[in-house]
Amino acid sequence: MLDISTIDVLAIILIAIAVIKIIVFLYKQSIWFNIIENIYKAPLVVSVVGSICSVTTLYLLIKSGITIVEILAVSLFLMLLMITGCANYADQIVGWAKGQNIAFMIKRLWIYSLAWVLLIIWGILELTVIG
């Protein structure tokens, strides 16, 4: 019998989603864009489901023995990887951002912003007080 840990299952989920996305995207981009357009037709549902999945994943990672500091370190790696990928589109991204009402966006994304603030505070506490 296979000895698959929670971390293995989470990695398998990510790998499966990535492989499916790559295959569909390479086969016919319009199929992938149709999927994305249909998913994001209900942004509140996507936000709620995404939040539930995020909290569940964080819980499973913590229960598996990974610390918040380790999670934040991996988040740094992924952030830097995404910056690298987005660098070629900086003009479009910055142009889009300049056209937005940032104060409105922050208010609208308050739960997302709060989650990051809490994760950062948790990391600081683990590094200074607990660790």
Side-chain angles (χ1 to χ4, degrees), residues 21 30-42 46:
K21 177 182 176 181
S30 62
I31 294 172
W32 184 253
F33 290 125
N34 286 337
I35 292 168
I36 297 303
E37 287 173 353
N38 285 321
I39 289 172
Y40 282 102
K41 282 183 180 176
V46 173

Side-chain angles (χ1 to χ4, degrees), residues 96-108:
W96 174 83
K98 284 183 177 180
Q100 303 304 307
N101 180 337
I102 300 300
F104 175 76
M105 287 179 69
I106 290 172
K107 287 178 187 173
R108 194 164 182 194

Side-chain angles (χ1 to χ4, degrees), residues 19-95:
V19 168
I20 291 168
K21 177 182 176 181
I22 291 167
I23 290 170
V24 170
F25 200 77
L26 290 175
Y27 172 70
K28 194 168 184 184
Q29 293 177 3
S30 62
I31 294 172
W32 184 253
F33 290 125
N34 286 337
I35 292 168
I36 297 303
E37 287 173 353
N38 285 321
I39 289 172
Y40 282 102
K41 282 183 180 176
L44 179 60
V45 173
V46 173
S47 294
V48 170
V49 170
S51 296
I52 292 168
C53 290
S54 295
V55 169
T56 302
T57 301
L58 178 62
Y59 172 79
L60 292 171
L61 291 170
I62 296 298
K63 289 304 257 180
S64 294
I66 296 177
T67 69
I68 191 63
V69 172
E70 293 166 329
I71 292 168
L72 292 173
V74 171
S75 297
L76 173 63
F77 163 70
L78 293 173
M79 180 185 73
L80 295 170
L81 189 61
M82 287 187 283
I83 288 171
T84 303
C86 292
N88 292 323
Y89 304 98
D91 290 343
Q92 292 99 324
I93 294 168
V94 171

